[in-house]
Amino acid sequence: MSLYGVLRSGVSGMNAQSNKLGTVAENIQNSSTTGYKRASTEFSSLILPSSEGNYNSGSVTSRVRYTIADQGPIAYTTSGSDLAISGNGFFVVSDPSGSPYLTRAGNFVKDGRTGNLINAAGFTLMGYKLGTEAVDPSLNSLDGVEPVNMASFGMQATGSTAGTFKGNLPFGQPVAVAAGTPTPPTVAPPVAGSVLFSAPTVSRGAQIAFSVGGGANQYFDVTTQKTPAEVATAINAAVTAGTLTGVNASTNAAGDLILTSTVSPTTTSVTGSFTSVSKASSLQVYDKVGNPIKIDISLSKIDADTWTISVFNGSDPSAPFTGTTAMELNFDADGKLTGSGALGFNIPGGEAFSLDMTGMTQLAGEYNVTGSSNGNAPSAVKDVEFAADGTVYAVYEDGTRVGAYRIPLATVPSPDNLSPRAGNVYETTAASGGYQVGFPEMSGFGSIASGALEGSNVDIGTELTAMIEAQTSYTANSKVFQTGSELLDVLMNLKR
């Protein structure tokens, strides 16, 4: 072994340990950096050809490796825009020039200048826009991603298109159909046939059915009338308009409603029934520009297992709903709704609306119903919510949540071979492989936790131990170099 080989070995060893000390120092200074992944230095020997009688000293080569695939601890914060990935995957971010990178650093905040969500290193969170501008993502490409920018979601109003009305109708509710009291016609003295409804309870949704001389039933639905006298006036107006025939409506001092035949007073009888409202509710919806419209809902029990439901425009009775505004609800012996349970009608100035009542029952309990509808009044965005599946919701002042973006997660076949760049981001290399793109909680990708951050995967105790080891090895290699240098000086002095 030559003296130059000794010197070369000492220098090689010091350089290798110097690299190790460099990675240790970087790990320690980034032990509190969000999403930082530990670096380590691995050594391998470089052996030169030797003979039995002469050893040719080689050297040590070093290579820096990163434990990018190892997850750090997750700590919860008070900021809803802090995001952490639990499991596999990286956030897709971009630099100011638009170049994409991968990162696990999810400390995002809203940039006041652009409205984008950026992390502490200034990289912008990327996502796929939802709604009418949604695109189908590629499995191996980041085409179609754009900055997550909530500033583009200003004040908006959404017309209602669907709602639900469900709950229990009491089985013991009395039937709301009352037969009128008929007065038969007489000849001497002549008395016209009539039917009397004893002081009916008038409310929207009530219905009068009557027949003159045994003919077909005619119907009058109470809409805006509040008293029997108002009902009588409306019936007479309908007779004048030709929509009802053969009767004259009036009331007596007791408030009873009376329908008297006008066909042939001495030979024509009048029969009828009055269906009052058993229960009433209301539901608020919105037209296309966000004006609130109240749907008045009237329910009448017409026999043991049948109710009728009618809907009215409670905000503007002069603009009635069009379409199917009334139907029967039929229940079986178990109190379950049979047949279709939906009304389809049009909201004035709004959309076609479907009211779903499939969750309605008739059981021996109290009247207990709930209702809901989509749509919202004009409202501004006040907050942002992040779901575990990556959906970003714009939360409006009225509490409405609208899906705005969906954050993808990306990975590569070999994450530890990604190339680190400044700002705690990574870019792909030939060794790491290309992008594989998906969504949280799908296809092996992790989930997103809002209000949390992934910490560094550096362990300080391990790093301090590695630092002592590197220092010891560096000192030993320096002694080898020093000894070789002294022997070389002795050899040089022999020539003198």
Side-chain angles (χ1 to χ4, degrees):
M1 176 178 178
S2 67
L3 290 178
Y4 288 109
V6 174
L7 294 174
R8 182 172 63 245
S9 296
V11 172
S12 172
M14 286 189 291
N15 285 337
Q17 297 302 325
S18 178
N19 286 341
K20 183 173 182 177
L21 284 170
T23 57
V24 169
E26 181 182 1
N27 291 339
I28 292 175
Q29 69 181 344
N30 284 287
S31 60
S32 298
T33 300
T34 300
Y36 175 81
K37 301 301 180 181
R38 177 179 178 271
S40 62
T41 303
E42 306 293 333
F43 300 140
S44 63
S45 60
L46 177 62
I47 299 177
L48 300 179
S50 302
S51 63
E52 291 184 1
N54 183 33
Y55 179 74
N56 193 8
S57 175
S59 60
V60 174
T61 61
S62 61
R63 180 185 178 190
V64 178
R65 295 179 59 185
Y66 294 90
T67 55
I68 299 173
D70 291 346
Q71 180 166 330
I74 292 180
Y76 288 90
T77 70
T78 58
S79 174
S81 61
D82 285 340
L83 304 177
I85 300 172
S86 178
N88 188 35
F90 297 83
F91 294 114
V92 179
V93 295
S94 69
D95 63 12
S97 66
S99 300
Y101 294 93
L102 304 181
T103 187
R104 297 277 290 198
N107 45 352
F108 296 104
V109 295
K110 180 180 178 180
D111 178 44
R113 183 176 59 86
T114 63
N116 297 336
L117 290 179
I118 61 172
N119 65 12
F123 288 88
T124 300
L125 178 64
M126 307 296 283
Y128 294 102
K129 202 162 191 177
L130 300 179
T132 57
E133 301 178 32
V135 298
D136 294 326
S138 300
L139 296 177
N140 60 349
S141 170
L142 297 177
D143 290 344
V145 295
E146 59 182 82
V148 176
N149 187 313
M150 304 309 296
S152 61
F153 287 78
M155 182 173 288
Q156 72 167 23
T158 306
S160 300
T161 58
T164 61
F165 183 65
K166 60 184 179 180
N168 186 61
L169 302 178
F171 177 81
Q173 180 73 31
V175 174
V177 181
T181 303
T183 299
T186 60
V187 177
V191 176
S194 63
V195 63
L196 179 145
F197 303 104
S198 180
T201 302
V202 179
S203 58
R204 174 171 284 195
Q207 186 183 71
I208 300 168
F210 66 92
S211 171
V212 180
N217 271 347
Q218 301 182 65
Y219 298 93
F220 176 82
D221 294 319
V222 177
T223 55
T224 60
Q225 297 77 29
K226 305 294 185 183
T227 65
E230 291 180 356
V231 171
T233 301
I235 290 176
N236 291 332
V239 170
T240 301
T243 55
L244 297 176
T245 60
V247 294
N248 177 72
S250 61
T251 57
N252 58 22
D256 302 327
L257 176 65
I258 303 170
L259 301 183
T260 304
S261 171
T262 60
V263 178
S264 178
T266 60
T267 60
T268 306
S269 62
V270 181
T271 58
S273 62
F274 185 93
T275 304
S276 60
V277 175
S278 301
K279 300 294 180 181
S281 296
S282 64
L283 189 66
Q284 182 166 287
V285 296
Y286 300 91
D287 66 12
K288 292 179 180 179
V289 297
N291 289 316
I293 295 178
K294 189 169 122 179
I295 299 177
D296 285 340
I297 303 172
S298 297
L299 295 154
S300 299
K301 187 172 184 179
I302 60 175
D303 64 35
D305 297 314
T306 306
W307 293 64
T308 60
I309 181 170
S310 302
V311 294
F312 306 90
N313 186 345
S315 298
D316 185 4
S318 66
F321 300 140
T322 58
T324 305
T325 59
M327 67 179 296
E328 288 187 355
L329 299 176
N330 298 296
F331 299 92
D332 61 18
D334 296 325
K336 296 180 180 179
L337 184 66
T338 62
S340 174
L343 284 175
F345 52 93
N346 299 311
I347 297 174
E351 307 282 356
F353 187 83
S354 175
L355 184 62
D356 181 11
M357 295 166 289
T358 54
M360 197 68 75
T361 61
Q362 183 187 242
L363 302 174
E366 297 181 351
Y367 175 70
N368 184 13
V369 295
T370 60
S372 64
S373 70
N374 60 4
N376 63 275
S379 182
V381 176
K382 72 167 185 176
D383 200 2
V384 180
E385 285 184 3
F386 299 86
D389 66 354
T391 303
V392 183
Y393 291 95
V395 182
Y396 287 84
E397 292 174 342
D398 64 353
T400 303
R401 298 163 69 252
V402 176
Y405 293 90
R406 193 166 186 195
I407 300 171
L409 294 182
T411 188
V412 293
S414 180
D416 288 344
N417 282 315
L418 288 167
S419 177
R421 291 292 181 263
N424 205 11
V425 296
Y426 306 95
E427 63 180 0
T428 59
T429 64
S432 71
Y435 294 117
Q436 298 295 311
V437 183
F439 290 114
E441 300 185 330
M442 294 177 60
S443 304
F445 287 96
S447 60
I448 291 179
S450 175
L453 291 174
E454 179 184 354
S456 166
N457 62 0
V458 172
D459 179 72
I460 292 295
T462 302
E463 299 306 318
L464 292 177
T465 301
M467 182 174 63
I468 294 172
E469 293 174 349
Q471 180 186 10
T472 302
S473 297
Y474 188 92
T475 302
N477 278 283
S478 69
K479 290 296 183 181
V480 172
F481 181 82
Q482 182 181 9
T483 300
S485 179
E486 291 173 353
L487 291 175
L488 186 61
D489 286 343
V490 171
L491 185 62
M492 290 299 184
N493 289 333
L494 290 177
K495 294 179 64 178
R496 303 190 185 100

